[in-house]
Amino acid sequence: MKVKNGFNVKVHYRGTFADGTEFDNSRNRGQTLDFEVGSPGLIRGFNEAVVGMSTGETKTFSLTPEQGYGLVNPEAFQNVPKIQFEDDFVFVVGGAVVGQGPQGPFRATIHEVRDSDVVLDFNHPLAGKDLTFEVELVSIDSPEQVQMANWNTRMKKAELFEIAKSQGLSVNTRSTKAQIIEALSA
């Protein structure tokens, strides 16, 4: 089976910059990246690259900033007075700052340290970077397989009927709930 949009996949990946420096590796965490292909929560270029892959296949691909985390937005830099930080805060260029703002939690990087203020960069840390990924597709589940795996006897007859039909099982609208469950269980 080959990956299509809407399929759920598990991948291991290694991400590097153009100079070969590793910025992330799922194997180091001992956990796959699990996602629905085509979902908005993942960068577009990564989504597009796994389409067409098969279980066990490994693929290496590079993404431009536009395909990854976008270009650096100059409007995402903000001057912040040092007095807004805790007294013992250590200001280091490149250091991370996390906090709570009017729109909720935020993360920024210290871009510049001045006498009375700091310049914070609110761009994603990987914005403006060319990225290379080596991806191994560990598993694929089609939407039907996910649906099939998630059925249970507490579901309504109509829901069970739709799942059974999507699997090509011989049930019809006159089948009882018990008959549909029996077909799904076989």
Side-chain angles (χ1 to χ4, degrees), residues 68-93:
Y69 290 92
L71 297 171
V72 173
N73 179 357
E75 294 178 13
F77 291 84
Q78 183 178 350
N79 294 336
V80 178
K82 285 183 175 178
I83 59 171
Q84 291 189 356
F85 292 84
E86 298 290 327
D87 291 336
D88 61 347
F89 189 87
V90 179
F91 298 96
V92 178
V93 172

PDB file of all heavy atoms in Angstrom, residues 68-93:
ATOM      1  N   GLY A  68       9.150  24.628   4.069  1.00  0.00           N
ATOM      2  CA  GLY A  68       9.311  24.245   5.470  1.00  0.00           C
ATOM      3  C   GLY A  68       8.594  25.201   6.406  1.00  0.00           C
ATOM      4  O   GLY A  68       7.371  25.287   6.421  1.00  0.00           O
ATOM      5  N   TYR A  69       9.370  25.967   7.163  1.00  0.00           N
ATOM      6  CA  TYR A  69       8.801  26.836   8.192  1.00  0.00           C
ATOM      7  C   TYR A  69       8.675  28.291   7.750  1.00  0.00           C
ATOM      8  O   TYR A  69       8.421  29.162   8.569  1.00  0.00           O
ATOM      9  CB  TYR A  69       9.640  26.731   9.475  1.00  0.00           C
ATOM     10  CG  TYR A  69       9.474  25.389  10.127  1.00  0.00           C
ATOM     11  CD1 TYR A  69      10.350  24.341   9.830  1.00  0.00           C
ATOM     12  CD2 TYR A  69       8.422  25.147  10.991  1.00  0.00           C
ATOM     13  CE1 TYR A  69      10.171  23.092  10.410  1.00  0.00           C
ATOM     14  CE2 TYR A  69       8.241  23.907  11.577  1.00  0.00           C
ATOM     15  CZ  TYR A  69       9.123  22.885  11.277  1.00  0.00           C
ATOM     16  OH  TYR A  69       8.952  21.655  11.854  1.00  0.00           O
ATOM     17  N   GLY A  70       8.839  28.537   6.452  1.00  0.00           N
ATOM     18  CA  GLY A  70       8.656  29.880   5.914  1.00  0.00           C
ATOM     19  C   GLY A  70       9.916  30.718   5.977  1.00  0.00           C
ATOM     20  O   GLY A  70      10.930  30.326   6.560  1.00  0.00           O
ATOM     21  N   LEU A  71       9.835  31.863   5.338  1.00  0.00           N
ATOM     22  CA  LEU A  71      10.930  32.822   5.361  1.00  0.00           C
ATOM     23  C   LEU A  71      10.921  33.567   6.693  1.00  0.00           C
ATOM     24  O   LEU A  71       9.909  33.597   7.389  1.00  0.00           O
ATOM     25  CB  LEU A  71      10.766  33.819   4.208  1.00  0.00           C
ATOM     26  CG  LEU A  71      10.827  33.213   2.809  1.00  0.00           C
ATOM     27  CD1 LEU A  71      10.442  34.251   1.763  1.00  0.00           C
ATOM     28  CD2 LEU A  71      12.213  32.650   2.521  1.00  0.00           C
ATOM     29  N   VAL A  72      12.049  34.172   7.031  1.00  0.00           N
ATOM     30  CA  VAL A  72      12.119  34.980   8.247  1.00  0.00           C
ATOM     31  C   VAL A  72      11.289  36.238   8.018  1.00  0.00           C
ATOM     32  O   VAL A  72      11.471  36.953   7.034  1.00  0.00           O
ATOM     33  CB  VAL A  72      13.579  35.342   8.584  1.00  0.00           C
ATOM     34  CG1 VAL A  72      13.637  36.328   9.744  1.00  0.00           C
ATOM     35  CG2 VAL A  72      14.371  34.082   8.909  1.00  0.00           C
ATOM     36  N   ASN A  73      10.350  36.488   8.919  1.00  0.00           N
ATOM     37  CA  ASN A  73       9.477  37.653   8.836  1.00  0.00           C
ATOM     38  C   ASN A  73      10.087  38.776   9.676  1.00  0.00           C
ATOM     39  O   ASN A  73      10.157  38.671  10.905  1.00  0.00           O
ATOM     40  CB  ASN A  73       8.080  37.303   9.357  1.00  0.00           C
ATOM     41  CG  ASN A  73       7.123  38.466   9.335  1.00  0.00           C
ATOM     42  OD1 ASN A  73       7.489  39.583   8.988  1.00  0.00           O
ATOM     43  ND2 ASN A  73       5.891  38.214   9.732  1.00  0.00           N
ATOM     44  N   PRO A  74      10.525  39.876   9.036  1.00  0.00           N
ATOM     45  CA  PRO A  74      11.146  40.959   9.798  1.00  0.00           C
ATOM     46  C   PRO A  74      10.199  41.599  10.820  1.00  0.00           C
ATOM     47  O   PRO A  74      10.650  42.178  11.805  1.00  0.00           O
ATOM     48  CB  PRO A  74      11.563  41.986   8.733  1.00  0.00           C
ATOM     49  CG  PRO A  74      11.112  41.465   7.423  1.00  0.00           C
ATOM     50  CD  PRO A  74      10.483  40.129   7.610  1.00  0.00           C
ATOM     51  N   GLU A  75       8.912  41.470  10.613  1.00  0.00           N
ATOM     52  CA  GLU A  75       7.945  42.033  11.557  1.00  0.00           C
ATOM     53  C   GLU A  75       7.793  41.185  12.823  1.00  0.00           C
ATOM     54  O   GLU A  75       7.098  41.584  13.751  1.00  0.00           O
ATOM     55  CB  GLU A  75       6.598  42.203  10.868  1.00  0.00           C
ATOM     56  CG  GLU A  75       6.638  43.236   9.752  1.00  0.00           C
ATOM     57  CD  GLU A  75       5.314  43.378   9.031  1.00  0.00           C
ATOM     58  OE1 GLU A  75       4.288  42.867   9.527  1.00  0.00           O
ATOM     59  OE2 GLU A  75       5.324  44.000   7.960  1.00  0.00           O
ATOM     60  N   ALA A  76       8.445  40.022  12.847  1.00  0.00           N
ATOM     61  CA  ALA A  76       8.349  39.140  14.010  1.00  0.00           C
ATOM     62  C   ALA A  76       9.449  39.415  15.041  1.00  0.00           C
ATOM     63  O   ALA A  76       9.635  38.653  15.978  1.00  0.00           O
ATOM     64  CB  ALA A  76       8.405  37.680  13.563  1.00  0.00           C
ATOM     65  N   PHE A  77      10.189  40.509  14.858  1.00  0.00           N
ATOM     66  CA  PHE A  77      11.199  40.924  15.832  1.00  0.00           C
ATOM     67  C   PHE A  77      10.600  42.033  16.692  1.00  0.00           C
ATOM     68  O   PHE A  77       9.933  42.927  16.180  1.00  0.00           O
ATOM     69  CB  PHE A  77      12.461  41.436  15.120  1.00  0.00           C
ATOM     70  CG  PHE A  77      13.222  40.355  14.407  1.00  0.00           C
ATOM     71  CD1 PHE A  77      12.856  39.956  13.134  1.00  0.00           C
ATOM     72  CD2 PHE A  77      14.301  39.729  15.023  1.00  0.00           C
ATOM     73  CE1 PHE A  77      13.551  38.950  12.468  1.00  0.00           C
ATOM     74  CE2 PHE A  77      15.003  38.727  14.364  1.00  0.00           C
ATOM     75  CZ  PHE A  77      14.616  38.338  13.087  1.00  0.00           C
ATOM     76  N   GLN A  78      10.843  41.947  17.999  1.00  0.00           N
ATOM     77  CA  GLN A  78      10.234  42.917  18.900  1.00  0.00           C
ATOM     78  C   GLN A  78      11.224  43.316  19.987  1.00  0.00           C
ATOM     79  O   GLN A  78      11.884  42.454  20.584  1.00  0.00           O
ATOM     80  CB  GLN A  78       8.980  42.302  19.525  1.00  0.00           C
ATOM     81  CG  GLN A  78       8.219  43.222  20.421  1.00  0.00           C
ATOM     82  CD  GLN A  78       6.948  42.557  20.961  1.00  0.00           C
ATOM     83  OE1 GLN A  78       6.550  41.488  20.530  1.00  0.00           O
ATOM     84  NE2 GLN A  78       6.331  43.197  21.916  1.00  0.00           N
ATOM     85  N   ASN A  79      11.309  44.619  20.255  1.00  0.00           N
ATOM     86  CA  ASN A  79      12.127  45.120  21.369  1.00  0.00           C
ATOM     87  C   ASN A  79      11.335  44.959  22.653  1.00  0.00           C
ATOM     88  O   ASN A  79      10.165  45.356  22.723  1.00  0.00           O
ATOM     89  CB  ASN A  79      12.475  46.598  21.175  1.00  0.00           C
ATOM     90  CG  ASN A  79      13.379  46.817  19.990  1.00  0.00           C
ATOM     91  OD1 ASN A  79      14.095  45.924  19.565  1.00  0.00           O
ATOM     92  ND2 ASN A  79      13.348  48.016  19.447  1.00  0.00           N
ATOM     93  N   VAL A  80      11.981  44.405  23.666  1.00  0.00           N
ATOM     94  CA  VAL A  80      11.330  44.205  24.956  1.00  0.00           C
ATOM     95  C   VAL A  80      12.258  44.745  26.050  1.00  0.00           C
ATOM     96  O   VAL A  80      13.435  44.355  26.104  1.00  0.00           O
ATOM     97  CB  VAL A  80      11.028  42.705  25.199  1.00  0.00           C
ATOM     98  CG1 VAL A  80      10.396  42.495  26.565  1.00  0.00           C
ATOM     99  CG2 VAL A  80      10.155  42.137  24.094  1.00  0.00           C
ATOM    100  N   PRO A  81      11.761  45.624  26.917  1.00  0.00           N
ATOM    101  CA  PRO A  81      12.597  46.134  28.017  1.00  0.00           C
ATOM    102  C   PRO A  81      13.029  44.998  28.949  1.00  0.00           C
ATOM    103  O   PRO A  81      12.247  44.095  29.259  1.00  0.00           O
ATOM    104  CB  PRO A  81      11.672  47.108  28.748  1.00  0.00           C
ATOM    105  CG  PRO A  81      10.576  47.423  27.786  1.00  0.00           C
ATOM    106  CD  PRO A  81      10.431  46.214  26.907  1.00  0.00           C
ATOM    107  N   LYS A  82      14.273  45.067  29.394  1.00  0.00           N
ATOM    108  CA  LYS A  82      14.802  44.030  30.292  1.00  0.00           C
ATOM    109  C   LYS A  82      14.031  43.963  31.608  1.00  0.00           C
ATOM    110  O   LYS A  82      13.973  42.913  32.238  1.00  0.00           O
ATOM    111  CB  LYS A  82      16.283  44.290  30.583  1.00  0.00           C
ATOM    112  CG  LYS A  82      17.197  43.941  29.432  1.00  0.00           C
ATOM    113  CD  LYS A  82      18.651  44.154  29.840  1.00  0.00           C
ATOM    114  CE  LYS A  82      19.595  43.696  28.762  1.00  0.00           C
ATOM    115  NZ  LYS A  82      21.006  43.956  29.133  1.00  0.00           N
ATOM    116  N   ILE A  83      13.411  45.087  32.007  1.00  0.00           N
ATOM    117  CA  ILE A  83      12.687  45.095  33.287  1.00  0.00           C
ATOM    118  C   ILE A  83      11.453  44.188  33.261  1.00  0.00           C
ATOM    119  O   ILE A  83      10.899  43.877  34.303  1.00  0.00           O
ATOM    120  CB  ILE A  83      12.283  46.528  33.706  1.00  0.00           C
ATOM    121  CG1 ILE A  83      11.387  47.173  32.654  1.00  0.00           C
ATOM    122  CG2 ILE A  83      13.507  47.382  33.982  1.00  0.00           C
ATOM    123  CD1 ILE A  83      10.773  48.500  33.081  1.00  0.00           C
ATOM    124  N   GLN A  84      11.051  43.723  32.066  1.00  0.00           N
ATOM    125  CA  GLN A  84       9.921  42.808  31.985  1.00  0.00           C
ATOM    126  C   GLN A  84      10.320  41.361  32.286  1.00  0.00           C
ATOM    127  O   GLN A  84       9.468  40.479  32.322  1.00  0.00           O
ATOM    128  CB  GLN A  84       9.253  42.902  30.609  1.00  0.00           C
ATOM    129  CG  GLN A  84       8.536  44.210  30.399  1.00  0.00           C
ATOM    130  CD  GLN A  84       7.692  44.220  29.140  1.00  0.00           C
ATOM    131  OE1 GLN A  84       7.677  43.279  28.362  1.00  0.00           O
ATOM    132  NE2 GLN A  84       6.968  45.312  28.949  1.00  0.00           N
ATOM    133  N   PHE A  85      11.596  41.114  32.532  1.00  0.00           N
ATOM    134  CA  PHE A  85      12.089  39.771  32.844  1.00  0.00           C
ATOM    135  C   PHE A  85      12.383  39.678  34.339  1.00  0.00           C
ATOM    136  O   PHE A  85      12.549  40.699  35.021  1.00  0.00           O
ATOM    137  CB  PHE A  85      13.370  39.486  32.051  1.00  0.00           C
ATOM    138  CG  PHE A  85      13.148  39.357  30.570  1.00  0.00           C
ATOM    139  CD1 PHE A  85      13.106  40.489  29.749  1.00  0.00           C
ATOM    140  CD2 PHE A  85      12.976  38.115  29.980  1.00  0.00           C
ATOM    141  CE1 PHE A  85      12.907  40.379  28.379  1.00  0.00           C
ATOM    142  CE2 PHE A  85      12.774  37.996  28.620  1.00  0.00           C
ATOM    143  CZ  PHE A  85      12.734  39.124  27.813  1.00  0.00           C
ATOM    144  N   GLU A  86      12.467  38.469  34.834  1.00  0.00           N
ATOM    145  CA  GLU A  86      12.849  38.237  36.233  1.00  0.00           C
ATOM    146  C   GLU A  86      14.236  38.838  36.472  1.00  0.00           C
ATOM    147  O   GLU A  86      15.068  38.894  35.559  1.00  0.00           O
ATOM    148  CB  GLU A  86      12.877  36.727  36.537  1.00  0.00           C
ATOM    149  CG  GLU A  86      11.538  36.031  36.386  1.00  0.00           C
ATOM    150  CD  GLU A  86      10.550  36.424  37.472  1.00  0.00           C
ATOM    151  OE1 GLU A  86      10.987  36.679  38.606  1.00  0.00           O
ATOM    152  OE2 GLU A  86       9.342  36.473  37.176  1.00  0.00           O
ATOM    153  N   ASP A  87      14.498  39.268  37.705  1.00  0.00           N
ATOM    154  CA  ASP A  87      15.779  39.898  38.040  1.00  0.00           C
ATOM    155  C   ASP A  87      16.976  39.004  37.747  1.00  0.00           C
ATOM    156  O   ASP A  87      18.031  39.491  37.367  1.00  0.00           O
ATOM    157  CB  ASP A  87      15.809  40.303  39.521  1.00  0.00           C
ATOM    158  CG  ASP A  87      14.847  41.444  39.827  1.00  0.00           C
ATOM    159  OD1 ASP A  87      14.513  42.199  38.888  1.00  0.00           O
ATOM    160  OD2 ASP A  87      14.437  41.571  40.997  1.00  0.00           O
ATOM    161  N   ASP A  88      16.818  37.692  37.913  1.00  0.00           N
ATOM    162  CA  ASP A  88      17.945  36.777  37.734  1.00  0.00           C
ATOM    163  C   ASP A  88      18.013  36.165  36.322  1.00  0.00           C
ATOM    164  O   ASP A  88      18.804  35.265  36.072  1.00  0.00           O
ATOM    165  CB  ASP A  88      17.895  35.667  38.784  1.00  0.00           C
ATOM    166  CG  ASP A  88      16.625  34.822  38.708  1.00  0.00           C
ATOM    167  OD1 ASP A  88      15.668  35.238  38.015  1.00  0.00           O
ATOM    168  OD2 ASP A  88      16.593  33.761  39.351  1.00  0.00           O
ATOM    169  N   PHE A  89      17.211  36.681  35.397  1.00  0.00           N
ATOM    170  CA  PHE A  89      17.204  36.141  34.039  1.00  0.00           C
ATOM    171  C   PHE A  89      18.550  36.416  33.371  1.00  0.00           C
ATOM    172  O   PHE A  89      19.077  37.522  33.444  1.00  0.00           O
ATOM    173  CB  PHE A  89      16.072  36.752  33.203  1.00  0.00           C
ATOM    174  CG  PHE A  89      15.889  36.088  31.873  1.00  0.00           C
ATOM    175  CD1 PHE A  89      15.075  34.980  31.745  1.00  0.00           C
ATOM    176  CD2 PHE A  89      16.550  36.555  30.743  1.00  0.00           C
ATOM    177  CE1 PHE A  89      14.907  34.342  30.515  1.00  0.00           C
ATOM    178  CE2 PHE A  89      16.400  35.934  29.508  1.00  0.00           C
ATOM    179  CZ  PHE A  89      15.578  34.825  29.396  1.00  0.00           C
ATOM    180  N   VAL A  90      19.114  35.384  32.728  1.00  0.00           N
ATOM    181  CA  VAL A  90      20.394  35.520  32.031  1.00  0.00           C
ATOM    182  C   VAL A  90      20.103  35.666  30.540  1.00  0.00           C
ATOM    183  O   VAL A  90      19.524  34.773  29.917  1.00  0.00           O
ATOM    184  CB  VAL A  90      21.305  34.286  32.284  1.00  0.00           C
ATOM    185  CG1 VAL A  90      22.613  34.422  31.536  1.00  0.00           C
ATOM    186  CG2 VAL A  90      21.543  34.098  33.775  1.00  0.00           C
ATOM    187  N   PHE A  91      20.504  36.803  29.985  1.00  0.00           N
ATOM    188  CA  PHE A  91      20.263  37.096  28.566  1.00  0.00           C
ATOM    189  C   PHE A  91      21.415  36.555  27.720  1.00  0.00           C
ATOM    190  O   PHE A  91      22.551  37.016  27.867  1.00  0.00           O
ATOM    191  CB  PHE A  91      20.115  38.605  28.353  1.00  0.00           C
ATOM    192  CG  PHE A  91      18.948  39.194  29.096  1.00  0.00           C
ATOM    193  CD1 PHE A  91      19.116  39.786  30.327  1.00  0.00           C
ATOM    194  CD2 PHE A  91      17.678  39.137  28.544  1.00  0.00           C
ATOM    195  CE1 PHE A  91      18.040  40.323  31.015  1.00  0.00           C
ATOM    196  CE2 PHE A  91      16.592  39.676  29.212  1.00  0.00           C
ATOM    197  CZ  PHE A  91      16.778  40.264  30.454  1.00  0.00           C
ATOM    198  N   VAL A  92      21.097  35.608  26.839  1.00  0.00           N
ATOM    199  CA  VAL A  92      22.098  35.015  25.961  1.00  0.00           C
ATOM    200  C   VAL A  92      21.552  35.032  24.539  1.00  0.00           C
ATOM    201  O   VAL A  92      20.445  34.516  24.295  1.00  0.00           O
ATOM    202  CB  VAL A  92      22.410  33.543  26.379  1.00  0.00           C
ATOM    203  CG1 VAL A  92      23.411  32.910  25.430  1.00  0.00           C
ATOM    204  CG2 VAL A  92      22.909  33.490  27.810  1.00  0.00           C
ATOM    205  N   VAL A  93      22.318  35.632  23.620  1.00  0.00           N
ATOM    206  CA  VAL A  93      21.897  35.642  22.221  1.00  0.00           C
ATOM    207  C   VAL A  93      21.724  34.189  21.755  1.00  0.00           C
ATOM    208  O   VAL A  93      22.586  33.344  21.993  1.00  0.00           O
ATOM    209  CB  VAL A  93      22.918  36.383  21.331  1.00  0.00           C
ATOM    210  CG1 VAL A  93      22.576  36.220  19.858  1.00  0.00           C
ATOM    211  CG2 VAL A  93      22.958  37.858  21.705  1.00  0.00           C
TER     212      VAL A  93
END
